[in-house]
Amino acid sequence: MTTQSIGTSLATDLSSRELQISEQPGHIKIVNTSGKRIVFGVSTALKKATTTPTGVLDPNEAALFIVKSDGKEQNDRITIIYTHPPEGTDKQYRSEYFLGEDTLIVRKNLPIRFEKITAVLARFEKLN
């Protein structure tokens, strides 16, 4: 398994043209602009969130995350990891997609500081 941490651009086989991430206060949106499925997982730095989404995005699908916090100032952040699942697999999230020896995993640490995150909720949508 290869894990690569990235900053503002993706310098791997998964390029910035394949997954777009946009942030607004309380919201994060990721869009799969590639021609392949992308499997993703979300985590928080303090590991206190009761809900963190995982999922599979087909091409031209998006996930909108709503970030809930308890209002106490903490140095929490969100990390999104993603990869391509094996060809021919069902559209179902499986953690083993991230465990293969030759799997390229991209980790995106969002630079904004959140208050203590209690939940990250996701809504999926198909884009035109």
Side-chain angles (χ1 to χ4, degrees):
M1 170 176 63
T2 303
T3 302
Q4 185 154 8
S5 188
I6 57 174
T8 56
S9 65
L10 306 174
T12 66
D13 291 342
L14 295 169
S15 73
S16 59
R17 294 178 304 275
E18 291 183 328
L19 188 73
Q20 295 176 351
I21 301 172
S22 60
E23 306 165 43
Q24 295 179 8
H27 294 84
I28 299 165
K29 185 174 187 175
I30 62 173
V31 179
N32 180 0
T33 57
S34 76
K36 295 181 175 182
R37 282 187 174 153
I38 290 178
V39 179
F40 71 89
V42 176
S43 65
T44 64
L46 297 177
K47 309 291 186 218
K48 300 288 185 186
T50 58
T51 306
T52 53
T54 57
V56 179
L57 293 176
D58 279 332
N60 296 319
E61 278 190 324
L64 176 64
F65 306 129
I66 300 163
V67 180
K68 295 186 175 192
S69 65
D70 70 359
K72 296 176 183 172
E73 188 61 35
Q74 295 281 336
N75 206 11
D76 210 348
R77 71 176 184 280
I78 290 181
T79 300
I80 299 172
I81 62 169
Y82 55 96
T83 190
H84 290 296
E87 292 291 326
T89 57
D90 294 335
K91 186 179 177 179
Q92 181 176 0
Y93 176 86
R94 292 194 173 105
S95 60
E96 61 258 21
Y97 293 154
F98 293 97
L99 302 176
E101 275 188 35
D102 298 329
T103 303
L104 177 64
I105 299 170
V106 180
R107 181 180 315 273
K108 174 70 175 167
N109 292 308
L110 300 183
I112 55 178
R113 288 184 173 177
F114 288 97
E115 295 172 346
K116 183 178 169 189
I117 298 168
T118 58
V120 182
L121 307 172
R123 184 185 78 206
F124 297 88
E125 57 189 35
K126 184 78 171 168
L127 303 177
N128 294 331

